[in-house]
Amino acid sequence: VDMKHDTRMNSGWLAYPNIFATQQLPWGFHFGFGAFGDFGLASSYNNHWELKYDSTETLLEGYTIQPVLSYDITDKWSFGIGPRFTYVNFETRMMRDFAFVDQMYMAQSHGFLRGPVRGKNKLKIQADNEDDIGVGLAAGTRYRVTDDFSLGVMYRSRVKTKLKGSARWTGEDVEHKRNSLDETIQLPAQVTAGFNWENALWVDKFHLGASVSWIEWSKMSALRFDVFNPVARGLKGFSTTD
């Protein structure tokens, strides 16, 4: 493999544990609890690909704790609702080779730089909402079509939360090493529909189920952080990193 021209994304695995439990209560009520990976997006490329100045690694992951109280409206139809508590973690890494960036020469010509900025400098951004856990609403309904076959639909609302973290530069001749970050984001709404077939294929105690989810990613097209730019440090300048 020619690593200098290899632009394929590195394959890998993300493990998201899921825990669900239910308890029957009097008068047709049920209590449920779930802890699960709400979503996960990741990409990783080697340091030779052409867009390494935009991203070499990016990770966006969310974990949700969700208690639910449900009620049997009829023998076949039930409805549940409860809060949604979501933790979000975001990380990205990129490279900046200022020896080949036009901005460097412009900055030097205007006297903004105190000496050259050389070599491949690395920028790492990490932020989470540990100080502001996102809170939303979850609701769902299930209808038992037959004794063995049921359908269900679930809705999770948008969640507004604030990510806080830091941006850190490493490399040659970078005087500014770190700055703090914060940004308010809105996590997308989700709709999930599925079915459960007990005694599936007419085999006793064999269960079969499937679900499909729609996530409103169009409402969260980018994350923007103001990051100190060593190339323009003589200015007030901050550059925005998506």
Side-chain angles (χ1 to χ4, degrees):
V1 178
D2 185 356
M3 295 299 293
K4 292 184 178 180
H5 298 91
D6 185 10
T7 60
R8 295 175 299 177
M9 185 170 68
N10 299 331
S11 59
W13 294 91
L14 293 176
Y16 289 95
N18 295 269
I19 300 173
F20 297 94
T22 60
Q23 175 63 51
Q24 186 173 356
L25 302 175
W27 307 301
F29 287 95
H30 300 262
F31 175 77
F33 175 83
F36 51 92
D38 210 7
F39 55 82
L41 301 172
S43 63
S44 177
Y45 294 88
N46 65 63
N47 291 337
H48 299 283
W49 87 302
E50 289 83 351
L51 296 181
K52 58 181 174 289
Y53 304 111
D54 180 68
S55 172
T56 55
E57 294 182 25
T58 299
L59 173 68
L60 175 65
E61 54 188 351
Y63 300 95
T64 290
I65 294 177
Q66 187 173 295
V68 174
L69 184 66
S70 68
Y71 177 69
D72 293 333
I73 300 173
T74 68
D75 292 340
K76 294 185 176 181
W77 182 27
S78 61
F79 175 82
I81 191 169
R84 168 192 178 191
F85 305 97
T86 300
Y87 167 80
V88 181
N89 180 52
F90 172 75
E91 294 183 18
T92 189
R93 291 175 173 84
M94 64 191 72
M95 298 184 69
R96 289 290 190 270
D97 191 347
F98 293 120
F100 300 99
V101 177
D102 291 339
Q103 281 183 295
M104 178 190 129
Y105 300 108
M106 180 182 72
Q108 283 182 321
S109 65
H110 288 79
F112 295 146
L113 290 179
R114 287 169 279 164
V117 179
R118 303 191 308 271
K120 290 182 173 61
N121 298 277
K122 296 181 180 180
L123 171 63
K124 177 184 177 181
I125 296 174
Q126 194 281 325
D128 61 34
N129 68 335
E130 184 175 306
D131 296 333
D132 183 33
I133 297 296
V135 181
L137 182 69
T141 185
R142 187 188 73 160
Y143 185 79
R144 187 178 291 275
V145 180
T146 68
D147 290 341
D148 294 334
F149 188 83
S150 59
L151 299 172
V153 178
M154 180 177 59
Y155 168 78
R156 295 193 184 102
S157 70
R158 297 174 184 173
V159 173
K160 191 174 184 179
T161 185
K162 176 174 284 189
L163 297 182
K164 292 184 178 181
S166 64
R168 190 177 77 169
W169 290 92
T170 57
E172 302 177 39
D173 297 320
V174 178
E175 296 180 8
H176 186 94
K177 298 295 185 181
R178 182 190 296 266
N179 67 270
S180 60
L181 305 170
D182 66 82
E183 177 64 23
T184 298
I185 65 168
Q186 183 170 256
L187 301 177
Q190 304 177 40
V191 177
T192 300
F195 73 88
N196 184 58
W197 186 8
E198 301 177 27
N199 302 317
L201 304 175
W202 300 276
V203 177
D204 188 34
K205 297 182 180 181
F206 178 60
H207 291 243
L208 180 65
S211 65
V212 60
S213 296
W214 171 83
I215 304 177
E216 193 185 25
W217 285 118
S218 61
K219 297 298 183 181
M220 188 181 173
S221 58
L223 287 175
R224 290 182 169 86
F225 295 99
D226 286 331
V227 178
F228 185 90
N229 186 347
V231 173
R233 63 174 177 263
L235 303 170
K236 292 182 180 179
F238 282 74
S239 64
T240 298
T241 297
D242 296 341

